[in-house]
Amino acid sequence: KTQLEESLRLQQFCRDVENELQWVKEHKALADSSDYGKSLRGVQNLQKKHQTVLNEITSYEPNIQMVEADAQQLLDSDHFASDTIHGQNTELKHKWKELKLLAARRTQKLSSSLEAQKYYQEANEADAWMNEKAGIAANQDYGRDEDAATKALKKHKGLEEEVDGFVSVVEKLAKEAKRLASVEHFDVANITARQAQLDEQLAGLQTLRAARRSKLEESIKLHQYLRDMEEFLSWMEEKEAIASSDDYGKDFEHLLVLQKKFDEFKRDISASTERFSSVNNLARRLVAEGHSDTVLIKEKQDIMKSRWTALQEMIQSRNKKLSGAYEIHKFNRDAKELLGRVKDKERSIPHDKLGKSIATVQVLQKKHEIFERELVALGNKVRELNNEALGLTSSYPGANAQVITDNMEEVQSAWESLQAASVARKKKLRASNELQKFLTSVRDILSWMSDMAELVSTAEPARGVSEAEALLAKHSEHKAEIDAREDTIAQVTKVGRKLIQQGHYASNEIRDRVSDLKRESSNLQSLWQSRKSFLDQTLEFQHFLKDAKNVDDLSNAHEIYLASEKLGETVDECNALLKKHEASERLIGAQEEKISAMNEFGRRLCDEGHFASSQIKARQAAVLQRQRKVKDAMATRKDKLEDCHKLVAFKQDVMEAQSWISEKLQVANDESYKDPTNLKNKLKKHEEFYAEITANEQMIQNIAQAGEELVEGNHYATEEIEKLMEDLFQLWEDLHDATERKGQGLQEAFSLLLLNRKVDAVESLIRDRMAIASSHETGRDLEHCQVLIKKFDEFQKELAVDKTHLDEVNKDAVKLMENNHSGTDIIQQHQENINAKWQELMSLAHQRKMLLKGAKEVHNFVREARETNDQMNDKAKSLLVDDYGKDLASVEALIRRHDELERSLILIENKLETLDTEAQRLVNEQPSRREVIEEKQTEIIENWDQLTQRAEERKENLQQSKQLHKFLADLRDLLQWKKGICDRITSEELAKNTVEAEHMLKVHQERKGEIDAHEGSFKLIKSTGENLIESGHYASSEIQQRLRGLEEEHQMLLSTWKKRQELCVQCRDLQLFLRDAEQREAWIGTQEVFLSNEDCGNSLDSVEALIKKHEDFEK
């Protein structure tokens, strides 16, 4: 018996050692794993799994110690198998020690792997960023034009700033790589190689960046040159067309226009010389700088030079030809004008017709009154033109001389014809002026009324809404035209009645015309109103038909859908059909408002007595009846679809549940729990099995509830549903009974062992958590503090998980005590100890949470203060710029930017107020950090004062710059006007006759008025400049110099006008003298004929008559 008992103890010990060695072997595979993770998340997951293994090793160590104690007890009792026991015990100790060493080594390896993966993740992010930017920097698109190239350069500058900012990221990674190498990281070779790749990639990116910037700058310069050159060539092409023109004018006026344009053209060419030099110099600079497109630039430069030289030669040639054409065209113009005047006089000589209108009569009367007075002056003009023709024929022989001779002969012939045809006509011009005016007006109005009546009465049937609207709009336009004519009709009627009252000889005819006007006007108004009523009703009827058609189209679509009788054989088919049906119902519901509006619209038309009331009522009834049928059919089909869907879904759920229960019933009926070995795993599997059963109980209840609802709803398959439910409930009860039997046996054998293990595990967790909760670290900065808070939040989540373990221990302990367990006192003591330790842990966790919260607020304040300082520093840098604008537009742009900056300063000021309030609160709540908070607060206040002072100084400087540039702009405009008017004053040639001289004096006097009108501008600019000087403007010396120049220019303008005035007066006096001298010379010529008469008389009477004539001549 003793030997059997010893053998039993030996076998029990061997079995325990075997179990423990098996457990160690299983965990050794986990502790000795060479998988340290391929990514950051993978390493973190492996660390969590490894921590679980460590916890299991720690919690399992008492079992090892218990086995070792059993071995020692057997050895102490001199057991007959001591050698075997000692060997197995030694092997167990060795395996256990080896397991702990492997676990510790894996902990270290995983920590190193975590650091490496963090580095690799950041390196991969840097690599991706640099690859992306390298793709942008390597872009070969340097802009197809100047605008695109400028935008590309601006975008590239942003890329350069990003790359410069990214250098610190690569440097930070390099420092981390060196640190890992210094601690002899197990993956140091890969880390070093990876860092070398990053450094090489960054260098390549910087090289690409510099190369692209150089190319973009060259592209911008080239585009600027090509743009200027092409614009200049285009400009020269336009000028060449002008300079090479063979157009010397169709007549004298045309020639003057051409000459004036050519003078402006020459001034334009002269002014553009500087532009030519500018483009040429730009090309030379680009070539000197070694531009990559030097060959193209030189080609363009040669083309432009040759074109410019050719243009100058064309200008000289055309200038010479225009001078010769001037004299010929002037003569032709004078001859044509004189010939026209002579022929006009001849045509104005009276004919047999007195005129058919008052205008004709009045023109003939006036022409005849001045006809005879103008003949004398016209004869002098003919003689002057003849003398000029003689001079031109000698200067320009050939075809031009022949044309001049022909023109002169035509003028002379016309003049002789005019003199022969001049007869009296005064008595023939008596006409019925007022009658003609009245009859003309009446005829025009009646003709218009006839046309308008035909337009209004035109019957065009409308075939739609748009046509009806168009007809109505056109009819309204007719009304507007009729109303516009009412005043004219009334005025003509008034004139006719006045003539009748005065007793006009055609009173009867006038009275008839007045009656016709009144009658036709009334008929036209009535016709328009009748047509208006018909068109309104036509438009409403077309609107109603359109609405009805829309409703019918929708009903037709629904009827096609309702013709289908398919209800679905699966859940998916039923769901699809239901969704389709619901969409149709929503569409019908959305159309209800339109149908109601259509119905109301039709009822209103019928109530108003519409001409198509019968058609409207019939159409309305047909549409509503069809819509009601569609609604009824939709409701019936929906009920069928819902019943079918419920039945198919219920059958599917029942079959799935029965299959699952049958599978689980086989597991529940397994009686392997009667074997006492490996109870832990069996119990765990059974708990998982029971949890699965419990979790799916709601599924059975849901199926049952669904079946009951179908039965209560009188479903057409009620008997089939009840049979399925009954079979399902029976199968479920069988599964529950088998599960309860198996679980009860396993739980009774394992409950106490499980409780002890749980208590040890929870105590180990509490010790670990207390080490973390008692930390006083608050972080170096906000990011570090946020990391700590994030870790602490995860720690609190872990505490929540740990609390579930504690609750589970308490629950198990209470349950065992309620079941009168034999170790009730020990269970109660363990429960009290572990709850006390938990409360201590929760207190430490709360203290740690408050500490981190306060630290985060301080770090956040410091961060916001630093960011605010950075914002103020950025604004201060922009205020240090000495650029106050080169012209008025740029100054105004700078002022707008400064205004935007001041608005942004308001936001910063608000931020400062917020920070001040936050600082006071933090000082009150955290006195220990007062020094740091007050230091930051003082720093931002000092920076703010400096920033506001600089902003005020720059604002003042910009305002002064704006005043200066506005003054200079006004001054330039005034000087430009002065230059223009001086050019106009001095550019005109002197007059060649008295008429031109008088006209020139009048024009010159008008220019004096223009000068006087600008006198206020001179005074205003002078006053503005003096005010700026008095206010101490920074450019006072320049303003003073400009004012002196303005005064000189003003005096020069007045002097120029005065000199030109004297010259114009002298020219007029000269032309008057020449005209009088010519007249006297002509008179003397006629008298010389009288004096050269050699007739001295043949008798006394004849001599006395000659003496009397001579005395009269002398008088």
Side-chain angles (χ1 to χ4, degrees), residues 365-378:
Q365 287 176 333
K366 291 179 181 179
K367 284 184 178 180
H368 190 73
E369 290 173 357
I370 63 175
F371 178 82
E372 293 179 343
R373 293 195 300 269
E374 293 175 346
L375 288 181
V376 177
L378 198 60

Side-chain angles (χ1 to χ4, degrees), residues 81 229 303 366 551 888:
M229 187 273 300
I303 292 172
K366 291 179 181 179
V551 174
L888 185 60

Side-chain angles (χ1 to χ4, degrees), residues 136 140 317 395 404 474 714 745 791-792 1071:
I136 298 174
Q140 298 298 318
S317 174
S395 299
I404 293 170
K474 185 176 180 182
N714 294 324
K791 289 182 178 180
F792 188 74
Q1071 293 300 326

Side-chain angles (χ1 to χ4, degrees), residues 105-122:
R105 186 177 68 181
R106 180 166 176 78
T107 299
Q108 184 180 0
K109 289 286 187 179
L110 286 174
S111 298
S112 298
S113 179
L114 180 64
E115 292 179 339
Q117 290 303 328
K118 287 182 178 178
Y119 169 83
Y120 285 139
Q121 183 177 15
E122 293 177 356

